[in-house]
Amino acid sequence: PRGEAMRRALLVLAAASAGPAMAPDPPAQTLDCSKVPCVTLKNAALPGTRMPATGLGTGGYGSGFSGTWSFIACLNWLRQGGRRIDTALGYLDQPNVSRALKAYMKESGLSREHFFITSKIPGGLGEVNSTAAIDTDLEQLGTGYVDLLLAHMPSGSGGKGTPAELRRATWR
């Protein structure tokens, strides 16, 4: 599961020119773009991948108050029809985002494929630390995959090597 979840997270990152897919496709999207304006991502590894045009960014909520703020914000967003959540490992709120998403899925009867989850790992970690960060990211979210994974502020901030070497290694 560790390797499979990581491959699923990285699948959307692969450019169309990168060759064959790195893992089996995640479940087909079932976003209802008649109710939520969406854009189709170009050069996605999965042609036709759609992303809601608006989303809730969870940066700034953090894990304070036992996650009350991020949990309430996400749950209310989903109840209002929101389908895209943008979070990051560094925001310290992914377990609360996961809790809200699972609560809403139970409440609404919708499955994971109805939502678009973007997450970020710290940039410039190098290959080994990036892989570990992806594992932590997926574990905290508990979704099995994310729809879009980004390197957050890709500077050379961790690991051995120059900043440029670490940025390149982050994408391996």
Side-chain angles (χ1 to χ4, degrees), residues 59 86-91 119-125 149-157 167 170-171:
D86 183 310
T87 187
L89 190 59
Y91 296 168
S119 190
K120 299 173 256 342
I121 60 168
L125 294 178
L149 180 68
L150 304 172
H152 208 187
M153 195 180 83
S155 62
S157 60
R167 283 192 302 272
T170 296
W171 294 106

CSV table of all heavy atoms in Angstrom, one decimal, residues 59 86-91 119-125 149-157 167 170-171:
chain,number,residue,atom,x,y,z
A,59,GLY,N,-4.8,26.7,4.6
A,59,GLY,CA,-3.6,27.3,5.3
A,59,GLY,C,-4.0,28.4,6.3
A,59,GLY,O,-4.9,29.2,6.0
A,86,ASP,N,-7.8,22.5,-0.7
A,86,ASP,CA,-6.3,22.7,-0.9
A,86,ASP,C,-5.7,22.8,0.5
A,86,ASP,O,-6.0,23.7,1.3
A,86,ASP,CB,-6.1,24.0,-1.6
A,86,ASP,CG,-4.6,24.3,-2.0
A,86,ASP,OD1,-3.8,24.1,-1.0
A,86,ASP,OD2,-4.3,24.6,-3.1
A,87,THR,N,-4.9,21.8,0.8
A,87,THR,CA,-4.2,21.7,2.1
A,87,THR,C,-2.7,21.4,1.8
A,87,THR,O,-2.2,21.4,0.7
A,87,THR,CB,-4.9,20.6,2.9
A,87,THR,OG1,-4.3,20.6,4.2
A,87,THR,CG2,-4.7,19.2,2.3
A,88,ALA,N,-2.0,21.3,2.9
A,88,ALA,CA,-0.5,21.0,2.8
A,88,ALA,C,0.0,20.3,4.0
A,88,ALA,O,-0.6,20.6,5.1
A,88,ALA,CB,0.3,22.3,2.5
A,89,LEU,N,1.0,19.5,3.9
A,89,LEU,CA,1.6,18.9,5.0
A,89,LEU,C,2.1,19.9,6.1
A,89,LEU,O,1.8,19.7,7.3
A,89,LEU,CB,2.8,18.1,4.5
A,89,LEU,CG,3.5,17.1,5.5
A,89,LEU,CD1,2.5,16.1,6.0
A,89,LEU,CD2,4.7,16.4,4.9
A,90,GLY,N,2.6,21.1,5.6
A,90,GLY,CA,3.1,22.1,6.5
A,90,GLY,C,2.0,22.9,7.2
A,90,GLY,O,2.3,23.7,8.1
A,91,TYR,N,0.7,22.7,6.8
A,91,TYR,CA,-0.4,23.5,7.4
A,91,TYR,C,-0.8,22.8,8.8
A,91,TYR,O,-1.6,23.4,9.5
A,91,TYR,CB,-1.6,23.6,6.5
A,91,TYR,CG,-1.4,24.3,5.2
A,91,TYR,CD1,-2.4,24.2,4.3
A,91,TYR,CD2,-0.3,25.1,5.0
A,91,TYR,CE1,-2.3,24.9,3.1
A,91,TYR,CE2,-0.2,25.8,3.8
A,91,TYR,CZ,-1.2,25.7,2.8
A,91,TYR,OH,-1.0,26.4,1.7
A,119,SER,N,-2.8,18.7,-2.3
A,119,SER,CA,-1.9,18.8,-1.1
A,119,SER,C,-0.5,19.2,-1.6
A,119,SER,O,-0.2,19.1,-2.8
A,119,SER,CB,-1.9,17.5,-0.3
A,119,SER,OG,-1.2,17.7,0.9
A,120,LYS,N,0.3,19.6,-0.6
A,120,LYS,CA,1.6,20.0,-0.9
A,120,LYS,C,2.6,19.4,0.1
A,120,LYS,O,2.2,19.2,1.2
A,120,LYS,CB,1.7,21.5,-0.9
A,120,LYS,CG,0.8,22.2,-1.9
A,120,LYS,CD,0.8,23.7,-1.7
A,120,LYS,CE,-0.4,24.3,-1.0
A,120,LYS,NZ,-1.7,23.7,-0.9
A,121,ILE,N,3.8,19.1,-0.4
A,121,ILE,CA,4.9,18.6,0.4
A,121,ILE,C,5.9,19.8,0.4
A,121,ILE,O,5.9,20.5,-0.5
A,121,ILE,CB,5.5,17.3,0.0
A,121,ILE,CG1,6.1,17.4,-1.4
A,121,ILE,CG2,4.5,16.2,0.1
A,121,ILE,CD1,7.0,16.2,-1.8
A,122,PRO,N,6.7,19.9,1.5
A,122,PRO,CA,7.8,20.9,1.4
A,122,PRO,C,8.7,20.7,0.2
A,122,PRO,O,9.0,19.6,-0.1
A,122,PRO,CB,8.5,20.7,2.7
A,122,PRO,CG,7.6,20.0,3.6
A,122,PRO,CD,6.7,19.1,2.7
A,123,GLY,N,9.1,21.8,-0.4
A,123,GLY,CA,10.0,21.7,-1.5
A,123,GLY,C,11.4,21.6,-1.2
A,123,GLY,O,11.8,21.9,-0.1
A,124,GLY,N,12.2,21.1,-2.1
A,124,GLY,CA,13.6,21.0,-1.9
A,124,GLY,C,14.1,20.0,-0.9
A,124,GLY,O,15.2,20.1,-0.3
A,125,LEU,N,13.3,18.9,-0.7
A,125,LEU,CA,13.7,17.9,0.3
A,125,LEU,C,14.6,16.9,-0.2
A,125,LEU,O,15.3,16.1,0.5
A,125,LEU,CB,12.4,17.2,0.9
A,125,LEU,CG,11.5,18.0,1.7
A,125,LEU,CD1,10.3,17.2,2.1
A,125,LEU,CD2,12.2,18.6,2.9
A,149,LEU,N,-0.7,16.9,-6.4
A,149,LEU,CA,0.3,17.0,-5.4
A,149,LEU,C,1.4,18.0,-5.9
A,149,LEU,O,1.9,17.8,-7.0
A,149,LEU,CB,1.0,15.6,-5.1
A,149,LEU,CG,2.1,15.6,-4.1
A,149,LEU,CD1,1.5,15.9,-2.7
A,149,LEU,CD2,2.8,14.3,-4.1
A,150,LEU,N,1.7,19.0,-5.1
A,150,LEU,CA,2.6,20.0,-5.4
A,150,LEU,C,3.8,20.0,-4.5
A,150,LEU,O,3.7,19.7,-3.3
A,150,LEU,CB,1.9,21.4,-5.4
A,150,LEU,CG,0.7,21.5,-6.2
A,150,LEU,CD1,0.0,22.9,-5.9
A,150,LEU,CD2,1.0,21.4,-7.7
A,151,ALA,N,4.9,20.5,-5.0
A,151,ALA,CA,6.1,20.8,-4.1
A,151,ALA,C,5.8,22.3,-3.6
A,151,ALA,O,5.8,23.2,-4.4
A,151,ALA,CB,7.4,20.7,-4.8
A,152,HIS,N,5.7,22.5,-2.3
A,152,HIS,CA,5.4,23.8,-1.8
A,152,HIS,C,6.6,24.6,-1.7
A,152,HIS,O,7.6,24.2,-1.1
A,152,HIS,CB,4.8,23.6,-0.4
A,152,HIS,CG,3.9,24.6,0.1
A,152,HIS,ND1,3.4,24.6,1.4
A,152,HIS,CD2,3.3,25.7,-0.5
A,152,HIS,CE1,2.6,25.7,1.5
A,152,HIS,NE2,2.5,26.3,0.4
A,153,MET,N,6.6,25.7,-2.3
A,153,MET,CA,7.8,26.6,-2.4
A,153,MET,C,9.1,25.8,-2.6
A,153,MET,O,9.8,25.6,-1.7
A,153,MET,CB,7.9,27.4,-1.0
A,153,MET,CG,8.8,28.6,-1.2
A,153,MET,SD,9.0,29.5,0.4
A,153,MET,CE,10.2,28.6,1.3
A,154,PRO,N,9.3,25.4,-3.8
A,154,PRO,CA,10.4,24.5,-4.1
A,154,PRO,C,11.8,25.2,-3.9
A,154,PRO,O,12.5,25.5,-4.9
A,154,PRO,CB,10.2,24.1,-5.5
A,154,PRO,CG,9.4,25.2,-6.1
A,154,PRO,CD,8.6,25.8,-5.0
A,155,SER,N,12.2,25.4,-2.7
A,155,SER,CA,13.5,25.9,-2.4
A,155,SER,C,14.4,24.7,-1.9
A,155,SER,O,13.8,23.6,-1.7
A,155,SER,CB,13.5,27.0,-1.4
A,155,SER,OG,13.0,26.4,-0.2
A,156,GLY,N,15.6,24.9,-1.8
A,156,GLY,CA,16.5,23.8,-1.3
A,156,GLY,C,16.6,23.9,0.2
A,156,GLY,O,17.5,24.5,0.7
A,157,SER,N,15.7,23.3,0.9
A,157,SER,CA,15.7,23.5,2.3
A,157,SER,C,16.0,22.3,3.2
A,157,SER,O,16.1,22.4,4.4
A,157,SER,CB,14.3,24.0,2.8
A,157,SER,OG,13.3,23.0,2.4
A,167,ARG,N,16.1,20.4,-5.5
A,167,ARG,CA,14.9,20.7,-6.3
A,167,ARG,C,14.7,19.6,-7.3
A,167,ARG,O,13.6,19.0,-7.5
A,167,ARG,CB,14.9,22.0,-6.9
A,167,ARG,CG,14.6,23.2,-6.0
A,167,ARG,CD,14.3,24.5,-6.7
A,167,ARG,NE,15.4,24.9,-7.5
A,167,ARG,CZ,16.4,25.7,-7.1
A,167,ARG,NH1,16.5,26.1,-5.8
A,167,ARG,NH2,17.4,26.0,-7.9
A,170,THR,N,13.7,16.3,-5.7
A,170,THR,CA,12.4,16.3,-5.2
A,170,THR,C,11.4,15.7,-6.2
A,170,THR,O,10.5,15.0,-5.9
A,170,THR,CB,11.9,17.7,-4.9
A,170,THR,OG1,12.8,18.2,-3.8
A,170,THR,CG2,10.5,17.7,-4.4
A,171,TRP,N,11.7,15.9,-7.5
A,171,TRP,CA,10.7,15.5,-8.6
A,171,TRP,C,11.0,14.0,-9.1
A,171,TRP,O,10.3,13.5,-9.9
A,171,TRP,CB,10.8,16.4,-9.8
A,171,TRP,CG,10.2,17.7,-9.3
A,171,TRP,CD1,10.9,18.9,-9.0
A,171,TRP,CD2,8.9,18.0,-9.0
A,171,TRP,NE1,10.1,19.9,-8.6
A,171,TRP,CE2,8.8,19.4,-8.6
A,171,TRP,CE3,7.7,17.3,-9.1
A,171,TRP,CZ2,7.6,20.0,-8.2
A,171,TRP,CZ3,6.5,17.9,-8.7
A,171,TRP,CH2,6.5,19.3,-8.3
